[in-house]
Amino acid sequence: MANPEQSIIETRAAQMFFKLEPAEIERARRFGTCRAYAAGEALANVGEVAQGLTLIISGHVDVLQRQQSGPHRLIVTHGPGSFMGELAQLSGRPALIDGYAKDAVQALVIPTERLRALLIAEAELGERIMRALILRRVGLIETGGGGPVIVGRAGNGDVLRLQNFLRRNGHPHQSLDSETDSEARALIEKFHIDPGQLPIVVCPSGQLLRNPSETELARCIGMLGPIDPNKVYDVAVVGAGPAGLATAVYAASEGLSVLVFDCRAFGGQAGASARIENYLGFPTGISGMALMGRAFSQAQKFGAEIAIPSEVVGVEVPNGAADRYFSLTLANNERARARTVVAANGARYRRLDVEGLEAFEAASVHYWASPLESRLCEGEEVALVGAGNSAGQATVYLASQAAKVWLLVRGPDLAASMSRYLVDRINGLANVEVLTRTQIAGLEGEDGALAAIRWRDGAGQETRRPIRHLFSFIGVEPNTDWLAGSGVALDAKGFVVTGKDAAFPLETNVHGLFAVGDIRSASVKRVAACVGEGAQVVAALHRHFAAEEEAAAQP
Ligand SMILES: Cc1cc2nc3c(=O)[nH]c(=O)nc-3n(C[C@H](O)[C@H](O)[C@H](O)COP(=O)(O)OP(=O)(O)OC[C@H]3O[C@@H](n4cnc5c(N)ncnc54)[C@H](O)[C@@H]3O)c2cc1C
């Protein structure tokens, strides 16, 4: 069995750094161009877009990880038959490592687009290369290699916000506690930072950001670039949860040009689920992040362009001959054009109606229960509000880390709203106490950190417990603000209506604008249903384009 203390490089080195056979190198030649490098020459620099995947024909290349202090760390030396690259090469993002020729090197450089062609054309070799790229990224995430360094007080709301953002997007990073870490103090002195300006982020390029927004950080580390306003995509997908990613995978793999937007991270609600146990084909369950991370890489492998974080705030529908395309407006006023739009941007959490909630939301009130949150409340008592399946899953998961979980339910029991298997599991957990007909009465604390929670039972009796973390899972409402003014029909609860006054089942009443997943009226709120709808909508897109072409061909 693998030792959890061992790094992925120790346990999976053979898959991460395998060598291509001479016959495979010959077959790969048609995808790249040969280049020569002198000893000492750089093949990749942290923060700069690398040329693509680099297959070594002769000579050796050292791959190094930059450290904040001290010498760079040697990760691996590539020799003939091995290749340099990781997931950044799939989407043309900046390199996370430095690579230097150790001696005279001859290499086959395969640019991003051709790499994607190789992965698809050479199925078996492509599978091994894809696995190596993913494992190398996991290795960098383990050590924080090549990513930004966050300096601030551990547990601070903004530190958590930035860590969460990078973690959810599978981007390596390091955190240094400004109160205990000597390297953190050195950086604070070096950049003359006042305590009030923390957290700071030092990007791999050396650029310093003071308590940045997620967008500022993403731009600084090359995760997000400008959108080409003149390019017309076949389909723009709003939302990179399971429904949006499935749409992207099926559309891109069938030759459509695809642009996906997400305002936060790939994976949506599913990505934040600690364990999905009912998704077909995973009898032992799979973490939402692992499932969605695979889908994200798959979409990129087929050439879907993904812009994160990018919030879509409006859409203009085509108005006849004057403008034949949809135009999406982003929060930063950028625009993107597409022949069709798929709304796959799900729903957002309802917020508890408790005075002062907002003040505690950055650090103490959570709408997800992922390993990040569970680590914060290890060995502590926590309170969780909700009675649906997501509340049940979060309860089971948190119970494995927390000293005790108080599950507060407004109704008379759990069975009406939660799957039987979860109710049974919760009943079997000694450290979970279910309080029915109970509601939160008040929150106490200071500086954004909760110190105690008060709740009231059906008889009006109030209880106060010293609890620092509150989890809220009380249902969702659809994210349809950006559709205002588009004419898209919504149902009485605000979800998008499909299949009515439309040519196709997943189309809205606006021709060419489709909706899939949780945002759709009467949808089944399950990952499998979202993925199925993503596949289904692409068939409808093809029929839509065929009908358009037929109409254009009419005299
Ligand atoms: C804790 C939890 C556990 C769950 N467990 C399971 C389970 O075990 N099994 C199961 O089948 N289902 C489970 N679900 C339900 C499942 O996760 C959802 O049904 C599914 O994620 C919905 O997918 P979606 O793609 O429609 O939307 P979402 O997953 O909600 O994704 C929508 C995406 O759109 C983005 N977005 C929103 N507005 C905008 C905008 N204006 N511009 C750009 N981007 C935007 C969001 O950031 C988000 O990433 C769980 C849900 C939760 C919360």
Side-chain angles (χ1 to χ4, degrees), residues 182-442:
S182 56
E183 260 186 66
R185 279 197 215 107
L187 284 171
I188 290 169
E189 272 168 35
K190 177 175 164 189
F191 291 110
H192 309 290
I193 303 295
D194 292 334
Q197 294 175 316
L198 291 172
I200 53 165
V201 180
V202 186
C203 294
S205 59
Q207 195 179 334
L208 174 84
L209 302 174
R210 291 177 163 81
N211 196 10
S213 68
E214 286 87 331
T215 308
E216 284 171 309
L217 176 56
R219 286 200 190 277
C220 189
I221 59 179
M223 245 178 82
L224 183 65
I227 307 286
D228 180 353
N230 298 317
K231 180 165 176 182
V232 179
Y233 290 85
D234 290 324
V235 53
V237 183
V238 182
L245 288 178
T247 306
V249 166
Y250 288 100
S253 68
E254 292 171 23
L256 301 180
S257 59
V258 184
L259 177 60
V260 185
F261 297 101
D262 200 290
C263 56
R264 191 181 334 201
F266 67 79
Q269 300 170 60
S273 169
R275 183 151 292 273
I276 297 175
E277 298 201 43
N278 55 2
Y279 190 66
L280 191 73
F282 293 91
T284 54
I286 181 164
S287 82
M289 185 70 186
L291 184 66
M292 290 296 109
R294 284 169 170 79
F296 180 60
S297 302
Q298 201 174 8
Q300 288 180 311
K301 167 179 144 179
F302 287 120
E305 292 176 38
I306 305 186
I308 300 178
S310 284
E311 186 185 1
V312 176
V313 294
V315 57
E316 279 169 32
V317 304
N319 59 1
D323 195 352
R324 292 163 50 214
Y325 305 116
F326 286 93
S327 172
L328 296 174
T329 309
L330 308 183
N332 64 356
N333 287 324
E334 275 184 298
R335 280 178 172 261
R337 297 202 298 162
R339 295 167 71 192
T340 56
V341 172
V342 175
N345 60 316
R348 59 173 168 263
Y349 286 100
R350 281 208 192 101
R351 299 170 66 240
L352 285 161
D353 184 16
V354 190
E355 206 186 313
L357 178 79
E358 211 177 312
F360 300 112
E361 275 185 318
S364 297
V365 177
H366 311 284
Y367 297 91
W368 323 97
S370 73
L372 194 71
E373 287 84 15
S374 79
R375 228 174 291 138
L376 291 175
C377 46
E378 216 172 313
E380 295 189 22
E381 287 194 7
V382 300
L384 194 149
V385 185
N389 276 357
S390 50
Q393 285 171 354
T395 303
V396 172
Y397 177 62
L398 289 170
S400 66
Q401 317 279 324
K404 175 157 187 161
V405 181
W406 296 90
L407 178 56
L408 313 186
V409 179
R410 198 167 54 170
D413 63 24
L414 285 176
S417 48
M418 197 180 281
S419 295
R420 190 70 244 168
Y421 84 95
L422 282 169
V423 178
D424 290 344
R425 211 173 278 179
I426 286 171
N427 288 340
L429 290 169
N431 64 339
V432 176
E433 193 159 336
V434 184
L435 304 175
T436 55
R437 298 187 199 283
T438 300
Q439 294 189 49
I440 298 279

Side-chain angles (χ1 to χ4, degrees), residues 15-329:
Q15 289 174 311
M16 287 168 94
F17 303 119
F18 76 91
K19 284 189 175 168
L20 276 72
E21 297 296 332
E24 291 171 330
I25 297 175
E26 284 314 306
R27 294 207 306 275
R29 280 188 191 273
R30 70 185 197 276
F31 295 97
T33 321
C34 272
R35 274 204 58 182
Y37 298 87
E41 198 176 334
L43 282 83
N45 287 312
V46 170
E48 289 173 21
V49 176
Q51 318 161 65
L53 185 127
T54 308
L55 173 57
I56 315 302
I57 308 288
S58 65
H60 297 85
V61 174
D62 278 340
V63 173
L64 302 159
Q65 180 181 324
R66 283 195 198 173
Q67 314 264 41
Q68 269 311 306
S69 57
H72 297 347
R73 190 176 73 91
L74 179 70
I75 301 176
V76 67
T77 299
H78 290 302
S82 59
F83 58 90
M84 215 178 86
E86 63 86 58
L87 275 187
Q89 269 62 63
L90 263 191
S91 52
R93 301 282 185 235
L96 299 171
I97 47 86
D98 293 306
Y100 294 102
K102 217 174 159 188
D103 42 27
V105 167
Q106 287 284 339
L108 182 74
V109 177
I110 305 176
T112 294
E113 225 161 83
R114 298 297 293 152
L115 169 62
R116 291 199 291 254
L118 181 153
L119 294 178
I120 293 163
E122 291 283 335
E124 192 272 333
L125 174 61
E127 179 191 321
R128 281 185 286 141
I129 294 178
M130 190 70 198
R131 185 177 301 119
L133 301 184
I134 293 173
L135 290 172
R136 289 176 186 185
R137 172 59 66 96
V138 174
L140 288 170
I141 291 174
E142 254 183 15
T143 57
V149 180
I150 304 169
V151 181
R153 189 169 54 77
N156 168 276
D158 286 312
V159 171
L160 288 176
R161 172 178 63 80
L162 295 168
Q163 286 174 335
N164 229 337
F165 171 71
L166 293 167
R167 217 188 132 267
R168 291 244 146 88
N169 283 293
H171 200 92
H173 62 278
Q174 291 175 54
S175 296
L176 303 177
D177 187 342
S178 52
E179 295 194 348
T180 56
D181 195 297
S182 56
E183 260 186 66
R185 279 197 215 107
L187 284 171
I188 290 169
E189 272 168 35
K190 177 175 164 189
F191 291 110
H192 309 290
I193 303 295
D194 292 334
Q197 294 175 316
L198 291 172
I200 53 165
V201 180
V202 186
C203 294
S205 59
Q207 195 179 334
L208 174 84
L209 302 174
R210 291 177 163 81
N211 196 10
S213 68
E214 286 87 331
T215 308
E216 284 171 309
L217 176 56
R219 286 200 190 277
C220 189
I221 59 179
M223 245 178 82
L224 183 65
I227 307 286
D228 180 353
N230 298 317
K231 180 165 176 182
V232 179
Y233 290 85
D234 290 324
V235 53
V237 183
V238 182
L245 288 178
T247 306
V249 166
Y250 288 100
S253 68
E254 292 171 23
L256 301 180
S257 59
V258 184
L259 177 60
V260 185
F261 297 101
D262 200 290
C263 56
R264 191 181 334 201
F266 67 79
Q269 300 170 60
S273 169
R275 183 151 292 273
I276 297 175
E277 298 201 43
N278 55 2
Y279 190 66
L280 191 73
F282 293 91
T284 54
I286 181 164
S287 82
M289 185 70 186
L291 184 66
M292 290 296 109
R294 284 169 170 79
F296 180 60
S297 302
Q298 201 174 8
Q300 288 180 311
K301 167 179 144 179
F302 287 120
E305 292 176 38
I306 305 186
I308 300 178
S310 284
E311 186 185 1
V312 176
V313 294
V315 57
E316 279 169 32
V317 304
N319 59 1
D323 195 352
R324 292 163 50 214
Y325 305 116
F326 286 93
S327 172
L328 296 174
T329 309

